[in-house]
Amino acid sequence: MRPAPPARARAARISIERIGEWFAESAITTHTLQVVLGGLAPDRGLYVPDSIPTFTAAEVEAMRNYSFPQIAFRIMSKYIPTEEVPAADLEDIINRSCTAFRDPGVTPVVKTGDCWTMELFHGPTFAFKDVALQFLGNLFEYFIDKKEGDAKRLTIMGATSGDTGSAAIYGLRGKKNVHCFILYPKGRVSLIQEQQMSTVPDSNIHCLRVEGTFDDAQDIVKAAFMDTEFRNKVRLGAVNSINWARVLAQMTYYFYSYYRVTDQAKGVKKVSFSVPTGNFGDILAGFYAKKMGLPVGKLVVGTNENDILHRFFSSGTCITDHKRITTLLSTTLYNLNFTYPLLV
């Protein structure tokens, strides 16, 4: 693994050439444990794979009748070396993570009009992030259990605009030697999300309401990670979409839904995905699935009035204007976080 280019100041121009130069200068080797427990890279960048492993067309087709946990195991085995997590242990972590879902398919697909819809509301908090955070919670506990002495503990710190916080809390509640601190902006999450976060009685869960926006809460988290002395003292780890393990876990339902759609839509060669997004973490999993060999057509991204990333990719300039941030507690985009349309 290596860190991706670090975030720049509030305004920055895209430079593909510079990004390529940065990768050439900055490639480092990092173990899975460090990537999972660390979240952010030391230079403020995000960890990404040195290379993207692939499946042949025959290998993709061979997984058609696999269960959701079996598909997850095949994908994750491509990225997690057996010397770091033995195959039997990885299978156990995946299987235990999937038992938290009310549907045996974890993310079933249903026909809705002229397209199909992936149901992502069968986890404990009814959010799509349950898929990744159930897995991440068990992975945290697994790695911490392997450590000795003072290193046998982990402090998770994350910021949320709603569903990340509750999904993280339900993924980490009761985990041994793991304490979870979730920051959320006052008055900017829905009542049910606030109740989900603040009513969990487990002693290792801590919710902090902050003044301002989600970006203000996220800035506090990022500042903590940039304070090397503090980060090392408390053994800081992350659950936001900056954590590569979340992206890795989410690749599974792109594969699973592709099989379920093409089981019904005979003759369809590729499936396109329409995904609502905040900071592109979930659509990134679809991008990696496509790069691995999954027959994906288009990856369509939907956003609402809070379209900072849309403006960035449209103009090449990233400007955070808090005056333009709108509080949306019940919107179509929010509801779409529980289901994704699949287009063929």
Side-chain angles (χ1 to χ4, degrees):
M1 304 292 285
R2 62 184 173 193
R8 302 302 182 192
R10 290 189 182 276
R13 287 285 176 181
I14 300 174
S15 172
I16 301 300
E17 293 80 7
R18 180 69 193 101
I19 290 173
E21 292 170 7
W22 190 93
F23 274 124
E25 297 165 1
S26 306
I28 60 173
T29 300
T30 307
H31 295 293
T32 305
L33 183 148
Q34 182 180 339
V35 171
V36 172
L37 298 186
L40 275 175
D43 64 357
R44 300 181 62 191
L46 306 183
Y47 287 113
V48 296
D50 285 313
S51 59
I52 302 175
T54 59
F55 292 109
T56 65
E59 288 174 325
V60 170
E61 185 58 32
M63 293 189 286
R64 175 170 296 278
N65 295 319
Y66 282 17
S67 67
F68 191 98
Q70 289 172 326
I71 295 171
F73 176 75
R74 288 283 285 121
I75 295 169
M76 293 179 188
S77 295
K78 292 275 191 178
Y79 294 92
I80 302 176
T82 55
E83 57 267 26
E84 296 186 33
V85 183
D89 292 349
L90 182 58
E91 281 187 299
D92 177 64
I93 291 169
I94 293 169
N95 288 334
R96 285 189 288 110
S97 301
C98 290
T99 59
F101 291 80
R102 292 175 292 276
D103 189 282
V106 182
T107 60
V109 174
V110 297
K111 185 75 159 47
T112 49
D114 294 331
C115 63
W116 282 259
T117 300
M118 189 195 322
E119 295 183 344
L120 297 170
F121 50 75
H122 295 283
T125 73
F126 299 87
F128 80 92
K129 294 172 182 176
D130 285 324
V131 176
L133 287 165
Q134 286 295 312
F135 170 72
L136 189 57
N138 287 320
L139 197 60
F140 279 148
E141 190 175 46
Y142 175 83
F143 280 134
I144 291 300
D145 191 54
K146 299 293 183 184
K147 289 183 171 289
E148 301 289 341
D150 187 54
K152 204 179 182 72
R153 61 188 176 90
L154 179 66
T155 301
I156 293 300
M157 190 174 180
T160 186
S161 56
D163 50 355
T164 296
S166 51
I169 285 170
Y170 278 78
L172 293 169
R173 62 182 302 184
K175 298 300 182 188
K176 294 182 296 182
N177 302 311
V178 179
H179 275 268
C180 175
F181 293 82
I182 296 296
L183 286 67
Y184 66 93
K186 180 181 178 181
R188 293 178 179 269
V189 301
S190 69
L191 177 60
I192 189 171
Q193 289 171 330
E194 186 169 27
Q195 290 174 335
Q196 281 182 329
M197 292 187 285
S198 61
T199 59
V200 174
D202 298 71
S203 61
N204 71 322
I205 299 299
H206 316 277
C207 290
L208 304 171
R209 187 172 60 190
V210 302
E211 297 288 346
T213 67
F214 166 75
D215 287 332
D216 295 315
Q218 183 77 309
D219 285 345
I220 295 172
V221 173
K222 288 183 177 179
F225 275 92
M226 293 306 104
D227 187 332
T228 304
E229 182 180 356
F230 175 77
R231 185 179 67 211
N232 294 338
K233 180 179 179 180
V234 302
R235 309 282 178 180
L236 203 57
V239 292
N240 287 74
S241 53
I242 59 177
N243 195 305
W244 162 251
R246 272 188 55 179
V247 177
L248 177 58
Q250 288 169 175
M251 290 183 211
T252 305
Y253 51 67
Y254 285 93
F255 278 81
Y256 184 81
S257 59
Y258 164 82
Y259 295 128
R260 301 295 74 82
V261 169
T262 53
D263 281 345
Q264 302 174 62
K266 303 299 184 182
V268 169
K269 302 299 183 183
K270 292 183 177 181
V271 174
S272 295
F273 295 81
S274 176
V275 183
T277 190
N279 59 10
F280 288 26
D282 195 11
I283 197 73
L284 179 61
F287 172 80
Y288 276 114
K290 182 175 183 177
K291 288 295 185 181
M292 290 187 72
L294 186 67
V296 173
K298 293 182 178 180
L299 293 168
V300 183
V301 178
T303 188
N304 57 21
E305 290 94 322
N306 300 324
D307 59 348
I308 294 170
L309 281 177
H310 168 69
R311 284 183 277 131
F312 170 68
F313 283 112
S314 298
S315 67
T317 301
C318 182
I319 301 177
T320 302
D321 183 358
H322 285 189
K323 293 181 180 179
R324 290 191 55 173
I325 295 176
T326 305
T327 301
L328 300 167
L329 298 185
S330 181
T331 65
T332 300
L333 178 63
Y334 174 80
N335 293 329
L336 278 172
N337 268 304
F338 303 99
T339 58
Y340 290 175
L342 313 180
L343 315 172
V344 298

